Amino acid sequence: MFWRRNWLILAKRDAMYVYNLGDKGLEKPVGIHAYAQPVDKWLSWGFSPSGNLFHYVLASDNSLRLVVVDIESGSTISRDLPLAPARRVLSSIDDNYRLAILSYNTIVEAAYVVFSDATGGMLMEAVRDLGTPKAIKIAGDRAISLFDGGFLVVPSLLLNTMKQESKLAHLVVQVIDDEGQPFHGALVCANSSCVTTSSTGAAELALEPGTHLLTVKHPSAREFQTTFTIQGNMTKLITLGRLYKLNVNVSTGKKGVGSCIIRVYDAQGTKLGEASNCTAAFNLTRGLYTVEAEAAQQVVKQIVAIQSDTLLNFLLIERPSITLTVSVLDENGTALPDAFIKLLDSRNVTLASAQGKLALQLAPGRYTILIQKSGYLNWSSTFELSDNLSVETKLTRYLQTTVHEGEPDEIRLIAASAASSLITATLIVAAKRFNFLEHVVRQKSKVSSKLRMKKSKRRAS
């Protein structure tokens, strides 16, 4: 945090926020500057004496990288330093872009100090036997490093020997939002070179000719990324979609909602996010979305148009539970404890299964009962459940046959009535002078209680 005239500058973990206390106070920042790298990667950081410049140092491959943010203009400068990453790094910056960085190697107990001016010229010195470094400061044209056992003064020599002149191509990136307005404070990076867009939404980079990865991001927008090839000066227009927060709450109107699932789909039906919670927040760009809430044995969908931060509330009134009881009997009213019972919902998903008897609590809706037992005809029923219901069903045995002693040439078929219009029965018949024979009888509608079948007598051999 830094006070600068009537400005308050807060360096938070996600970005740097600038507040004009003489205007809107802390209600709304006048500027937001995104970081090129996350805060947890920083090794050292700090403001210049006036607070106009902010810098941080981090490890980059086998060297240190310096990033400087100009608070007023919003521009960002990145520079690689000829220093190896170390556990202890100290740094300081003045208002003239002069920087002093100290990297201390605890293994060899050696300190390396780099003093850089605004032109990019650098001077580096190494020092041993002065103990652990405590601080580094810029005093005029010198960098002073304080150690346990003394101090080191590095003069500012305007050296340009380390800055190789090359033919650079200038890339101007114009960033606008989805309403066509300039996007201020967006971070524009081409490979490792980064700048921040000004109030006009423009950022300029000097790049080596060739192919680069361009990334544009901001905490309140969806990140944009593309590759491009540059041979000479060029301008690119980038549209950055602003992100708006959609907050979704699911309630049943009483304490303790239970489990909830919230899903968000885009206009094409692609799922963008899911939360297994009764409250959720999603960052979305402008457009139409479908929000689906699942709770209290219900699924509700709603289409919402996102144009700004939006709050969406679902009130799912929990439907009362209904008791369904199913019992299975034979034709004589005797319970069949080993009959298999299965309950399906309207989507043919199995909800429960049991043997002999089934009892459970259900919400109103459409259900199907399936009952099976060896030796009996299968039974099923589909119904609408709106109140407590007790189902007692009697299963029908398969068709049976009997052969009477006095009539070896006749077979009497005894069958119980069945509900189906077409019955297939397999008859196993035993009679005098006959081996076991298998007959299949098909009969439409009701089967008569007696069926006589004439069979030709088998001649004696």
Side-chain angles (χ1 to χ4, degrees):
M1 182 175 68
F2 192 92
W3 291 93
R4 186 173 183 267
R5 295 192 298 273
N6 60 332
W7 288 9
L8 174 64
I9 306 169
L10 294 179
K12 298 183 179 181
R13 291 190 63 85
D14 59 336
M16 183 175 297
Y17 295 79
V18 181
Y19 298 89
N20 188 341
L21 300 182
D23 185 11
K24 295 184 179 181
L26 296 177
E27 179 181 348
K28 186 177 181 180
V30 296
I32 301 177
H33 306 294
Y35 303 132
Q37 292 83 13
V39 174
D40 55 4
K41 301 293 185 181
W42 297 359
L43 300 175
S44 179
W45 62 89
F47 289 94
S48 66
S50 69
N52 187 49
L53 300 178
F54 178 80
H55 81 285
Y56 56 90
V57 180
L58 69 156
S60 176
D61 296 329
N62 294 322
S63 63
L64 293 180
R65 175 168 295 172
L66 170 70
V67 180
V68 180
V69 180
D70 189 311
I71 304 299
E72 289 192 4
S73 68
S75 62
T76 302
I77 298 174
S78 298
R79 185 183 302 167
D80 289 328
L81 305 172
L83 291 174
R87 291 185 178 179
R88 184 169 179 79
V89 175
L90 304 175
S91 60
S92 180
I93 187 172
D94 68 6
D95 293 314
N96 297 315
Y97 282 87
R98 286 183 293 196
L99 294 137
I101 300 97
L102 184 150
S103 176
Y104 181 66
N105 190 319
T106 57
I107 298 176
V108 299
E109 296 184 345
Y112 302 89
V113 180
V114 168
F115 193 20
S116 173
D117 57 36
T119 67
M122 299 182 191
L123 183 65
M124 184 173 71
E125 290 194 15
V127 62
R128 295 175 182 269
D129 303 327
L130 287 181
T132 304
K134 296 298 182 182
I136 187 168
K137 297 292 182 182
I138 298 175
D141 59 353
R142 290 175 172 80
I144 303 175
S145 304
L146 301 179
F147 298 82
D148 284 338
F151 62 91
L152 173 69
V153 178
V154 178
S156 174
L157 301 177
L158 301 181
L159 301 177
N160 292 298
T161 56
M162 300 183 66
K163 185 179 181 182
Q164 301 294 326
E165 293 295 334
S166 61
K167 293 182 179 180
L168 300 178
H170 289 267
L171 170 68
V172 177
V173 179
Q174 180 68 46
V175 184
I176 59 175
D177 62 14
D178 40 15
E179 290 185 326
Q181 298 300 315
F183 211 123
H184 174 58
L187 185 68
V188 181
C189 296
N191 295 342
S192 61
S193 299
C194 299
V195 294
T196 305
T197 57
S198 63
S199 58
T200 63
E204 184 175 354
L205 291 162
L207 305 172
E208 295 283 350
T211 301
H212 300 268
L213 175 65
L214 179 66
T215 304
V216 184
K217 57 185 178 180
H218 190 275
S220 64
R222 180 166 291 174
E223 182 176 318
F224 174 87
Q225 194 172 83
T226 186
T227 56
F228 71 100
T229 301
I230 185 171
Q231 299 297 336
N233 297 340
M234 66 182 297
T235 300
K236 290 185 71 69
L237 178 64
I238 303 296
T239 300
L240 211 58
R242 290 190 182 273
L243 292 175
Y244 301 97
K245 191 172 292 295
L246 170 64
N247 291 294
V248 183
N249 297 322
V250 180
S251 173
T252 60
K254 65 179 184 179
K255 187 176 181 181
V257 179
S259 61
C260 302
I261 300 177
I262 301 172
R263 306 179 184 93
V264 176
Y265 302 87
D266 64 12
Q268 288 72 43
T270 302
K271 186 167 69 173
L272 303 178
E274 178 177 318
S276 298
N277 205 336
C278 295
T279 59
F282 304 90
N283 291 320
L284 304 172
T285 55
R286 294 175 184 270
L288 289 176
Y289 299 89
T290 299
V291 182
E292 180 181 270
E294 182 176 345
Q297 300 181 353
Q298 301 178 68
V299 177
V300 179
K301 296 182 180 180
Q302 183 170 332
I303 297 176
V304 58
I306 300 297
Q307 299 291 336
S308 60
D309 291 344
T310 304
L311 174 63
L312 184 61
N313 291 314
F314 285 95
L315 179 59
L316 304 182
I317 303 300
E318 190 171 8
R319 294 182 288 186
S321 60
I322 299 173
T323 301
L324 172 67
T325 303
V326 181
S327 56
V328 185
L329 310 174
D330 64 9
E331 295 125 320
N332 300 320
T334 304
L336 297 175
D338 55 347
F340 180 73
I341 306 171
K342 181 189 289 187
L343 181 68
L344 309 176
D345 65 8
S346 58
R347 297 171 295 179
N348 287 329
V349 176
T350 301
L351 299 179
S353 59
Q355 286 188 321
K357 192 169 186 178
L358 176 68
L360 71 165
Q361 301 288 320
L362 297 170
R366 189 176 182 84
Y367 298 92
T368 298
I369 299 175
L370 300 177
I371 300 177
Q372 295 176 322
K373 176 172 170 53
S374 177
Y376 291 80
L377 298 176
N378 293 342
W379 185 93
S380 67
S381 177
T382 300
F383 57 95
E384 292 288 339
L385 184 65
S386 59
D387 202 351
N388 293 340
L389 179 65
S390 179
V391 178
E392 187 178 83
T393 181
K394 292 184 178 181
L395 296 186
T396 302
R397 290 181 180 274
Y398 286 132
L399 300 179
Q400 301 173 350
T401 65
T402 60
V403 177
H404 292 262
E405 283 293 333
E407 304 174 12
D409 58 338
E410 296 179 352
I411 299 175
R412 291 182 179 180
L413 178 64
I414 302 175
S417 62
S420 60
S421 59
L422 180 63
I423 299 175
T424 300
T426 301
L427 308 178
I428 307 300
V429 182
K432 291 181 179 180
R433 303 188 308 274
F434 285 86
N435 295 326
F436 288 103
L437 303 175
E438 182 175 287
H439 300 268
V440 177
V441 178
R442 295 182 178 270
Q443 173 184 314
K444 291 185 177 180
S445 68
K446 293 185 177 180
V447 180
S448 62
S449 61
K450 293 183 179 181
L451 176 65
R452 295 180 177 276
M453 300 177 61
K454 294 288 186 177
K455 300 183 65 69
S456 60
K457 294 183 178 181
R458 183 178 182 183
R459 296 181 178 181
S461 58

